[in-house]
Amino acid sequence: MWHRAREAARRPGLTALGMAALVGVLGLLALAGSFRTLTTAQLDGSGHAAALEAGSVVCQTFVAQYGNLSQIEVQLVTFGQQLGSRGAIVLHLKESPESAEVLAESAVSLAAVQDNSFEAFAFAPVRGDVGRELCFCLELADLPEAATLSVSGSETDAYPQGAALFRQADGRELQDLAFRIRYAPSLSERLGLIAERLTSGKPYLAGAIGLYIVLGVAAAGLLGALLALLVGAP
């Protein structure tokens, strides 16, 4: 009887702690979900190159900020024209503009291109080290004669980590293309980003990752105790 009385007295406290731990775990899961897709970008598209022609190649070098690069979006201009149903613009991901090895390839139909829009070139995630120097190059395939297509970008060095390069094309002094790069980080990368977010700018003990590991273990223990209490409740 006394044992049951003690258990009954402990239940409200354990339940409150368990619920607090559950809220904390759900918060961490939501934070992890926010890192499911990460994006870096150069969004200044105030300038544009001259219309591209058959044989034109436009490249942009950049530095990978995360692993598992999975999509590149490039701002394209059609000068108000609908490009028709024939032809495509092809993106090649490479280590350098001169490299013969293609890490990934994706194409967008010219019929889908809208004026001044960011067109998405998606591909299977490319694993690589953070800080790896890469580039993407755009080429035209079967461009209709009357079609006009070009790229937007910045006439200033808006993206110091890379630069726009043009071959058989008039870049009109563009220094960087307007682009977005999307990543699908691995679980380990997301955990690292969560740890960085939790500890960044925190003083003393609050900035130590060990504190959050201890709190995580304690939260798991409290949830286990709460579950056992609920299962064993009459």
Side-chain angles (χ1 to χ4, degrees), residues 37-215:
T37 301
L38 299 170
T39 304
T40 58
Q42 193 298 102
L43 299 178
D44 181 1
S46 55
H48 62 77
L52 305 178
E53 302 174 351
S56 296
V57 180
V58 180
C59 298
Q60 172 73 43
T61 59
F62 65 94
V63 176
Q65 299 299 311
Y66 308 99
N68 286 357
L69 193 158
S70 59
Q71 182 170 291
I72 296 175
E73 301 169 13
V74 186
Q75 189 174 19
L76 303 177
V77 292
T78 67
F79 305 98
Q81 183 186 48
Q82 291 296 119
L83 299 181
S85 59
R86 182 166 60 88
I89 182 164
V90 182
L91 179 144
H92 295 109
L93 178 67
K94 305 193 289 185
E95 288 194 333
S96 71
E98 300 79 20
S99 175
E101 180 184 6
V102 176
L103 303 175
E105 179 178 307
S106 182
V108 170
S109 169
L110 294 184
V113 176
Q114 301 296 314
D115 195 20
N116 287 314
S117 64
F118 279 88
E119 299 298 334
F121 298 85
F123 39 82
V126 176
R127 300 186 67 179
D129 297 329
V130 175
R132 183 182 184 185
E133 294 183 359
L134 296 168
C135 83
F136 61 83
C137 294
L138 299 171
E139 300 179 55
L140 298 172
D142 195 21
L143 179 71
E145 287 187 12
T148 54
L149 177 69
S150 189
V151 291
S152 296
S154 174
E155 296 178 357
T156 63
D157 189 11
Y159 181 76
Q161 297 95 329
L165 304 166
F166 297 85
R167 187 169 70 223
Q168 296 184 36
D170 179 6
R172 291 185 176 173
E173 300 185 353
L174 290 188
Q175 296 193 42
D176 293 295
L177 302 186
F179 63 90
R180 290 193 288 249
I181 299 176
R182 300 193 186 276
Y183 305 83
S186 64
L187 177 60
S188 61
E189 284 183 303
R190 278 187 275 164
L191 290 175
L193 290 168
I194 290 172
E196 182 179 347
R197 177 71 63 84
L198 289 173
T199 59
S200 179
K202 305 284 181 60
Y204 307 113
L205 186 60
I209 189 59
L211 171 65
Y212 298 95
I213 293 174
V214 171
L215 290 175

Side-chain angles (χ1 to χ4, degrees), residues 13-29 215-226:
L14 275 175
T15 301
L17 289 173
M19 293 304 296
L22 180 60
V23 170
V25 169
L26 291 176
L28 284 176
L29 290 175
L215 290 175
V217 172
L222 284 171
L223 287 176
L226 177 61

